[in-house]
Amino acid sequence: MKHPIKFIIILFLFFAGSDKVRSQSIMVDSLKSLLRNPGLKPEKKAMALSHLGRNIYETDLPSALNSANEALKLSRQFSDGQYSAFALATLTYLNVQRDSLVLAQKNIDSALIYTVKSTNRVVNGYV
């Protein structure tokens, strides 16, 4: 009697986890599709790149870092600090994931500086 219960629990956990993988894939595919749009405004591209980096870190950390760094480079041209702050906060998260805590600390310090020039309270809260 115990074995069927364990089997049911294992099946439940397997299928519950597969939904997360599927939804993660949908998010990544949507972001990549958005980034292929030639008419995408630079501000939207910077945010999409940051979000992409945050979403692919588990499967491809080097690409995630590249996306976040590209977002940071792009965001430096905007007067609104929200784009740089968000990219730096994303880089902070990614550097924590790869145990680069000194670099993560530098990133979050810089992100906090950019929040002063940010008009977006949600991004400021994220940072």
Side-chain angles (χ1 to χ4, degrees):
M1 185 72 171
K2 288 185 178 184
H3 293 295
I5 293 173
K6 287 181 183 179
F7 181 72
I8 291 170
I9 291 172
I10 290 171
L11 279 177
F12 174 76
L13 292 174
F14 174 76
F15 286 113
S18 68
D19 284 343
K20 181 181 177 193
V21 171
R22 193 172 331 128
S23 65
Q24 192 74 9
S25 176
I26 291 169
M27 177 69 85
V28 169
D29 291 344
S30 296
L31 288 166
K32 287 181 178 179
S33 176
L34 179 66
L35 289 166
R36 284 191 295 270
N37 182 352
L40 185 63
K41 292 182 180 181
E43 294 90 345
K44 298 279 187 192
K45 184 175 182 178
M47 291 302 270
L49 284 165
S50 292
H51 283 289
L52 180 63
R54 181 73 167 82
N55 279 282
I56 63 172
Y57 83 92
E58 288 180 350
T59 57
D60 191 359
L61 186 57
S63 292
L65 288 165
N66 287 340
S67 291
N69 279 313
E70 187 178 342
L72 182 60
K73 287 178 191 172
L74 186 60
S75 68
R76 296 234 165 112
Q77 65 181 315
F78 310 126
S79 60
D80 190 341
Q82 70 174 308
Y83 305 102
S84 293
F86 192 73
L88 285 160
T90 301
L91 281 167
T92 299
Y93 180 79
L94 296 174
N95 283 315
V96 167
Q97 296 305 311
R98 66 181 192 148
D99 291 327
S100 295
L101 300 181
V102 172
L103 191 53
Q105 182 65 50
K106 289 178 184 178
N107 291 144
I108 200 63
D109 288 345
S110 297
L112 288 168
I113 291 169
Y114 278 103
T115 60
V116 174
K117 298 191 290 184
S118 172
T119 59
N120 189 323
R121 292 177 12 191
V122 173
V123 168
N124 291 351
Y126 176 75
V127 172

